Amino acid sequence: MGTIVSAQQKNPTTTKEIQDKIKQAQQQLDKLTPEQKKMMEQMGMSTTAPSLPTGITDADVKTAVGGDAFSVPSKNATLIAAIPKITLTAATLPSYIKSLNDYIQKGLADDARFNGEHAYNYFKNNKCDAQMIGNEAIGFWSMGYPAIATYMTGKACTDNVADADLLSNFAAILSMGGAPHKAIPLLEYLSKLYPDNTTILNNLGQAWFYLGETDKANAQLDKVVKAFAYHPQANYTQCLIQQQKGNTAKAIEKMKNSLAYSFSPDKINMLRKLGYKIKGSDMRIPFRPDPNPLGLQNFKRPDVPASYTDELRLSADWDAFQKQINEKSMQLAKDLLPYQQAAAKNAEQAYKKFNNKTAKEINGMKSGMVSSENMYRTVAEKNLEEMDKDGGAGYRLKKTIATIDSLRKDFQAKDDAQRKKIEKQSSIMATQETELAKKGENMGYDNCVVQEKYSEWMYATYNKQLEEAYKNYLHQFYLKISEELYWKQFMEDAPTFEATKIAAKKEWLTALGNTRYISTNKYGNCTPQQKKTSSYKLADFDDMHCAFNSTLDFIVYKQVIACGKMHVEFDAGKLNGNFDFKSDNTGKDRFVKGTLEATVIDKSVSAGKGPLQVGASVKAGMGMEFSSRGIEDVYATGGASVKAGSNTVSDPSGVVNDPSVNITVSGRMSLISGNMTGAISGFGK
């Protein structure tokens, strides 16, 4: 069979060039003989050239071939020349906002413009003020409807041209939407009003970066990272600039700083590309861990004996303790059975689906079987992987087990010899000659004397050391279970995690049951003081719910993230009417990288400081990182806990036990732009 060659001298830059390439490829395929076509089909290769999806524009093509999330844009002389030659003032700002809205009207596709206007009027007619409409627009942006978001934000700025939050977000949306040249005058105006605001400085630096002016971009971004070393977007973009210059070590440092504040798969991939091996410690722990998962620390062992007398007195408690552990373990095994049966059934169904299938058929099936990705899966997998490495929880637990095994092994090796030694030393023959002894008869030893000496030897040589080893073992085992539960809740679906919790309970009970002292009562009860009955009661496990919930309430719908899994809740009761908005006519999500910071604290808290800033000391807020894949990370700002609808922090010091965070739409929201990976159709002119 002949070889088909795609003679591509350069990447296509327009839809026409792509269509020409497709046409050329199909012409080559049409020349194949029927036998050649049959052979290709048997190999899983199509004999029909793929068609270009509808709605693809020249701008889409340029974005696809001109770079990716790791590229540095070339200098765009056309857009740089198109930067409006204007220095904005409070007096000229309204007219400039109007010109931006005119630009949006002309640039958006008809359906996107219609939907944007429909959405704006909908909220306006339902008595939403400019800030609420602006926040609702951010909701559309994060859901993948940037055209609607751009239209609504521009209109909201017209309604309240003095709102710095709205103006800053409008500028960020314009930049990330493909019109950074239009955003620069607005950002320069804001930077004069709030010269040290890192959100404005970052967004200005990103706008210059989009235009290919990396030196101007870096100058602004330097100011940002000097104010906050771990700024996620400024560091990300500076990494790309350093990589282009060939400064690999500096690029790695910058990307690690970005990753330390918020997670993104792009950051992981970039560090790998730079040759850096990611560690779990490089990534932020998503939320504060539960200090006592499943109530494991509620389980108290009986008092531990320190002598033979204690051993007799406490034996009934230890017997009751181990009996209850066995009973509870058996019940947990029954509780686990339905989950095991379901897992076996799923495995059987999967086997039937895959059995006798070709590799091509299996690959085609996989896409439909994969569950929705959890935003913290990569972080969780890396940390679980490192648990068994040197210094990890699994590694430390193995060391404690080795200590216990060594003590028990040593005891087994020396026990018989030591007992014989004590028996001989305590024998009547050893201290007194009698007529019977002279006749060769051994008078033996006093059991209680031997028992006392044997117990003293056991407690001094083994039981006291074992008890310290048991305490360390249970501590390390608790840390291991806690860490595993923390990370697995970000990886597993609800039924699987329920089974994981039951298994963890069984493991904990088994560990507790294996920490009993070595009994020394080998020679009989020589001490009359014993406790015949016991009132010991084993604790119950606590229910473990996902406490890591964060909610962004955008009036009609909420974005709810629980343990890294996001869903959207619609609330038709808040507003009435038709709420049917769609994205532009390409049907594509047009995300760009960025961060959103939100807070429910009143505006007066940061009056005069401008838009919210990443890393600022806001005690009641949250943030999110998003990209072309959607929302990738959600985090609390200041570690605060805030209840929905509240404008107060539950703990003024910011030190709280409840890690849940709820941010209402009444709060402030700031878009912090990152490197652009796409643009709204019709922008960039």
Side-chain angles (χ1 to χ4, degrees):
M1 186 178 74
T3 302
I4 301 173
V5 179
S6 177
Q8 183 171 310
Q9 300 299 323
K10 66 181 183 67
N11 286 328
T13 57
T14 65
T15 55
K16 182 180 182 303
E17 289 178 0
I18 290 182
Q19 294 286 14
D20 290 342
K21 295 293 182 183
I22 293 174
K23 185 177 180 181
Q24 292 171 17
Q26 189 61 55
Q27 289 172 349
Q28 293 290 330
L29 290 168
D30 290 340
K31 294 178 182 179
L32 297 175
T33 65
E35 291 78 12
Q36 289 173 330
K37 289 182 178 180
K38 184 177 180 180
M39 187 180 296
M40 287 184 66
E41 289 170 355
Q42 289 175 340
M43 295 171 63
M45 299 169 64
S46 175
T47 57
T48 303
S51 59
L52 189 67
T54 58
I56 297 296
T57 66
D58 289 349
D60 296 325
V61 175
K62 289 179 181 179
T63 298
V65 302
D68 56 19
F70 306 143
S71 65
V72 175
S74 301
K75 188 170 289 190
N76 192 327
T78 301
L79 289 188
I80 292 171
I83 297 173
K85 307 298 188 292
I86 182 173
T87 301
L88 292 176
T89 64
T92 59
L93 183 60
S95 62
Y96 187 67
I97 296 298
K98 182 181 182 303
S99 73
L100 292 178
N101 281 318
D102 292 341
Y103 174 83
I104 293 168
Q105 286 273 3
K106 294 175 183 177
L108 294 182
D110 290 343
D111 61 340
R113 184 171 58 253
F114 172 80
N115 287 328
E117 183 177 10
H118 182 36
Y120 169 75
N121 290 334
Y122 176 82
F123 290 105
K124 186 78 171 176
N125 293 336
N126 280 279
K127 296 182 171 51
C128 293
D129 61 19
Q131 185 193 48
M132 294 174 70
I133 293 174
N135 285 355
E136 188 67 36
I138 292 175
F140 278 106
W141 183 274
S142 66
M143 287 290 288
Y145 305 126
I148 295 175
T150 305
Y151 187 98
M152 289 177 63
T153 308
K155 288 294 187 180
C157 285
T158 300
D159 292 340
N160 187 356
V161 75
D163 191 313
D165 290 314
L166 282 173
L167 295 174
S168 177
N169 291 342
F170 190 28
I173 284 174
L174 285 170
S175 286
M176 292 189 285
H181 58 304
K182 295 290 187 180
I184 283 176
L186 192 53
L187 289 166
E188 289 180 337
Y189 167 74
L190 289 170
S191 69
K192 290 178 181 177
L193 293 178
Y194 310 102
D196 299 320
N197 186 281
T198 57
T199 294
I200 295 170
L201 291 172
N202 171 76
N203 292 354
L204 182 56
Q206 301 292 350
W208 284 118
F209 179 76
Y210 303 154
L211 295 172
E213 289 279 14
T214 54
D215 289 340
K216 289 185 178 180
N218 209 39
Q220 298 298 330
L221 299 177
D222 269 340
K223 298 176 186 176
V224 176
V225 296
K226 284 178 181 176
F228 179 52
Y230 299 99
H231 194 285
Q233 302 305 335
N235 275 291
Y236 189 107
T237 300
Q238 284 196 311
C239 167
L240 304 185
I241 295 172
Q242 292 298 329
Q243 182 206 25
Q244 186 191 51
K245 292 179 178 180
N247 299 333
T248 302
K250 193 68 175 176
I252 290 173
E253 177 190 338
K254 289 291 183 179
M255 192 57 75
K256 284 177 66 179
N257 286 345
S258 178
L259 182 62
Y261 191 78
S262 61
F263 172 82
S264 164
D266 279 344
K267 298 175 185 180
I268 299 288
N269 293 334
M270 183 59 175
L271 284 168
R272 287 172 178 163
K273 180 179 177 181
L274 291 169
Y276 178 78
K277 189 174 182 180
I278 302 292
K279 301 189 293 290
S281 58
D282 292 325
M283 295 173 279
R284 178 185 59 82
I285 294 177
F287 292 98
R288 184 183 296 109
D290 187 332
N292 187 23
L294 300 178
L296 299 182
Q297 291 184 324
N298 299 344
F299 288 77
K300 304 299 181 184
R301 298 157 69 222
D303 291 339
V304 179
S307 67
Y308 176 63
T309 303
D310 288 346
E311 184 179 322
L312 294 180
R313 179 173 56 85
L314 297 170
S315 61
D317 282 348
W318 277 92
D319 290 342
F321 169 70
Q322 291 190 301
K323 180 176 182 292
Q324 291 173 43
I325 278 182
N326 291 335
E327 291 172 348
K328 192 161 288 191
S329 293
M330 291 176 63
Q331 182 58 51
L332 289 171
K334 293 179 182 177
D335 295 341
L336 190 58
L337 191 59
Y339 295 101
Q340 293 172 330
Q341 292 172 336
K345 186 176 180 180
N346 291 337
E348 182 182 0
Q349 291 174 345
Y351 174 78
K352 289 178 180 178
K353 286 183 179 180
F354 284 100
N355 191 29
N356 297 323
K357 296 289 193 301
T358 65
K360 181 176 180 294
E361 289 173 326
I362 291 173
N363 285 331
M365 294 167 60
K366 283 181 180 178
S367 60
M369 298 176 66
V370 176
S371 59
S372 58
E373 184 69 12
N374 187 299
M375 66 177 70
Y376 300 125
R377 179 177 297 277
T378 303
V379 183
E381 287 175 346
K382 176 57 66 174
N383 279 276
L384 283 171
E385 173 190 320
E386 292 181 355
M387 285 180 64
D388 288 330
K389 294 183 178 180
D390 287 358
Y395 172 82
R396 297 194 305 270
L397 179 62
K398 288 178 182 177
K399 290 187 68 175
T400 65
I401 294 173
T403 300
I404 293 170
D405 288 344
S406 177
L407 284 168
R408 286 175 170 170
K409 185 177 180 181
D410 190 67
F411 164 72
Q412 291 293 338
K414 297 178 180 178
D415 183 40
D416 284 345
Q418 183 65 25
R419 285 176 61 184
K420 289 177 181 178
K421 180 181 178 181
I422 294 174
E423 289 169 6
K424 184 177 180 181
Q425 290 174 344
S426 304
S427 171
I428 295 173
M429 289 179 61
T431 58
Q432 182 179 342
E433 291 290 334
T434 66
E435 289 297 322
L436 290 175
K438 291 176 182 179
K439 293 178 181 180
E441 294 187 25
N442 190 339
M443 293 297 293
Y445 48 79
D446 186 326
N447 280 12
C448 290
V449 172
V450 173
Q451 177 67 65
E452 182 180 358
K453 291 181 179 180
Y454 178 68
S455 293
E456 288 175 356
W457 171 77
M458 270 293 303
Y459 280 98
T461 310
Y462 294 107
N463 274 347
K464 289 184 178 179
Q465 292 184 57
L466 272 174
E467 178 56 24
E468 291 304 311
Y470 287 151
K471 288 179 180 177
N472 190 25
Y473 163 68
L474 290 175
H475 174 67
Q476 296 300 335
F477 200 83
Y478 166 78
L479 294 178
K480 179 178 180 290
I481 290 180
S482 299
E483 188 170 348
E484 284 177 338
L485 287 172
Y486 177 78
W487 292 118
K488 285 181 178 179
Q489 69 185 323
F490 296 124
M491 298 175 60
E492 299 175 346
D493 57 27
T496 304
F497 189 56
E498 283 301 315
T500 295
K501 290 189 291 185
I502 294 172
K505 293 175 183 179
K506 283 185 88 279
E507 289 179 359
W508 183 242
L509 291 179
T510 300
L512 287 170
N514 287 335
T515 59
R516 185 167 183 169
Y517 55 88
I518 300 175
S519 176
T520 68
N521 188 25
K522 304 289 179 67
Y523 295 93
N525 296 339
C526 293
T527 304
Q529 300 173 354
Q530 332 183 25
K531 191 172 181 180
K532 299 293 184 183
T533 59
S534 172
S535 59
Y536 180 85
K537 179 69 170 66
L538 194 66
D540 289 323
F541 288 102
D542 291 342
D543 197 4
M544 180 181 174
H545 297 291
C546 180
F548 314 119
N549 300 317
S550 56
T551 303
L552 275 171
D553 190 344
F554 294 107
I555 304 177
V556 175
Y557 79 93
K558 296 177 182 179
Q559 292 176 359
V560 182
I561 297 92
C563 286
K565 297 166 187 170
M566 176 181 153
H567 68 277
V568 174
E569 295 178 357
F570 289 91
D571 187 352
K574 288 188 176 181
L575 296 175
N576 297 316
N578 179 22
F579 193 71
D580 182 20
F581 307 124
K582 299 184 183 299
S583 60
D584 59 36
N585 58 4
T586 67
K588 291 175 58 183
D589 287 345
R590 295 175 177 274
F591 268 115
V592 290
K593 292 190 70 62
T595 304
L596 166 66
E597 291 274 325
T599 179
V600 299
I601 291 181
D602 292 337
K603 246 183 195 181
S604 59
V605 171
S606 56
K609 297 179 182 179
L612 294 173
Q613 306 172 67
V614 167
S617 57
V618 178
K619 291 182 180 177
M622 65 172 290
M624 69 164 63
E625 177 134 349
F626 56 86
S627 74
S628 58
R629 286 171 295 274
I631 295 173
E632 296 184 341
D633 191 9
V634 176
Y635 52 88
T637 56
S641 173
V642 183
K643 299 303 178 186
S646 168
N647 283 332
T648 59
V649 187
S650 61
D651 181 346
S653 68
V655 180
V656 294
N657 293 322
D658 180 4
S660 62
V661 178
N662 292 276
I663 304 300
T664 69
V665 77
S666 61
R668 301 171 56 199
M669 298 183 185
S670 289
L671 277 175
I672 301 163
S673 54
N675 64 309
M676 181 169 57
T677 56
I680 297 173
S681 297
F683 278 23
K685 299 177 182 177

